[in-house]
Amino acid sequence: MDDQNYKAIIESILFTMGESVELSKIAAAIELDKEKTKQLLDELIGDYANAKRGIAIMELDGSYQMCTKPEMYEYLIRIAKQPKHRALTDVLLETLSIIAYKQPITRVEIEKIRGVSCDHAVNKLLEYNLIQELGRLDAPGKPLLFGTTEEFLRSFGVHSIDELPVLNPDQVEEFRQEAEEEMQVQLNV
């Protein structure tokens, strides 16, 4: 079988699955090694990027997914009328960033960092599919561990958690001091 046939099979797998598919699963399905499969996927990604098409293939942390090119969103919105709007409040963003940088993390650890209950925020982030349960911590009570999802990566335009910006320790200290001052102001009110 030639490369074009393999590419056609990969396209059909990604189109049919709808979700991301791990490289190893694609390689097993087409009965090629991972290296050759990755080469074919990289070629397909380039083919879609260079062609005037409405779809693309994106890599998400070692998995691949067929998706719509961002420049086509306006037309999709016209068809779908108004997509469901997810409002990420400051509380949700703060909780999400704690989870993204500290994952896997428990609710108690999140609350310790934030200084307040995070039940609502965690439940909303689960509902929005931006975080997921990763399992349980081997500790008394077996608390749930949370981490980010592929939807998080897609929503924030990164391919991997490793691409998140590195925080400057001075900024972290400055943010901590601002939070403490804000808390003092609230306590005095």
Side-chain angles (χ1 to χ4, degrees):
M1 194 178 317
D2 69 356
D3 285 357
Q4 282 307 114
N5 287 336
Y6 283 119
K7 287 180 183 181
I9 294 167
I10 292 169
E11 279 178 318
S12 66
I13 290 169
L14 296 177
F15 176 79
T16 303
M17 295 307 293
E19 297 179 350
S20 65
V21 182
E22 294 173 14
L23 174 63
S24 59
K25 289 183 180 180
I26 298 170
I30 63 175
E31 299 176 335
L32 289 177
D33 61 48
K34 286 187 198 177
E35 187 175 305
K36 178 64 177 175
T37 304
K38 177 144 178 45
Q39 175 197 335
L40 291 169
L41 279 157
D42 288 342
E43 289 174 16
L44 266 173
I45 289 170
D47 293 346
Y48 277 100
N50 295 327
K52 291 192 182 262
R53 292 184 170 170
I55 56 176
I57 296 175
M58 71 185 307
E59 181 181 358
L60 298 164
D61 207 17
S63 295
Y64 295 84
Q65 182 173 10
M66 190 169 279
C67 61
T68 306
K69 287 185 176 177
E71 56 267 26
M72 300 300 151
Y73 290 170
E74 119 182 42
Y75 304 102
L76 294 173
I77 290 170
R78 290 178 191 172
I79 293 292
K81 301 289 184 226
Q82 199 59 22
K84 185 178 178 183
H85 179 67
R86 296 187 300 204
L88 291 179
T89 63
D90 290 345
V91 170
L92 293 179
L93 282 171
E94 180 181 320
T95 305
L96 182 58
S97 55
I98 290 168
I99 293 168
Y101 281 97
K102 299 285 188 178
Q103 64 185 305
I105 188 169
T106 66
R107 256 183 232 262
V108 172
E109 292 170 319
I110 298 166
E111 289 172 354
K112 186 176 179 183
I113 293 169
R114 288 200 61 236
V116 294
S117 174
C118 68
D119 288 341
H120 175 72
V122 168
N123 290 337
K124 270 296 186 199
L125 293 171
L126 284 166
E127 179 185 323
Y128 292 164
N129 194 30
L130 294 172
I131 64 168
Q132 65 186 342
E133 295 175 1
L134 298 177
R136 294 190 173 270
L137 184 64
D138 190 19
K142 301 273 187 201
L144 286 170
L145 290 167
F146 296 98
T148 55
T149 62
E150 286 182 353
E151 182 62 28
F152 167 83
L153 297 175
R154 267 190 291 285
S155 296
F156 289 90
V158 294
H159 295 102
S160 161
I161 292 298
D162 299 331
E163 291 183 18
L164 291 176
V166 177
L167 296 176
N168 177 336
D170 295 335
Q171 281 181 313
V172 172
E173 181 60 26
E174 191 176 305
F175 292 147
R176 188 187 64 71
Q177 288 175 354
E178 285 176 19
E180 285 177 2
E181 289 170 9
E182 190 175 306
M183 190 176 247
Q184 287 298 326
V185 168
Q186 290 174 356
L187 291 174
N188 292 335
V189 172

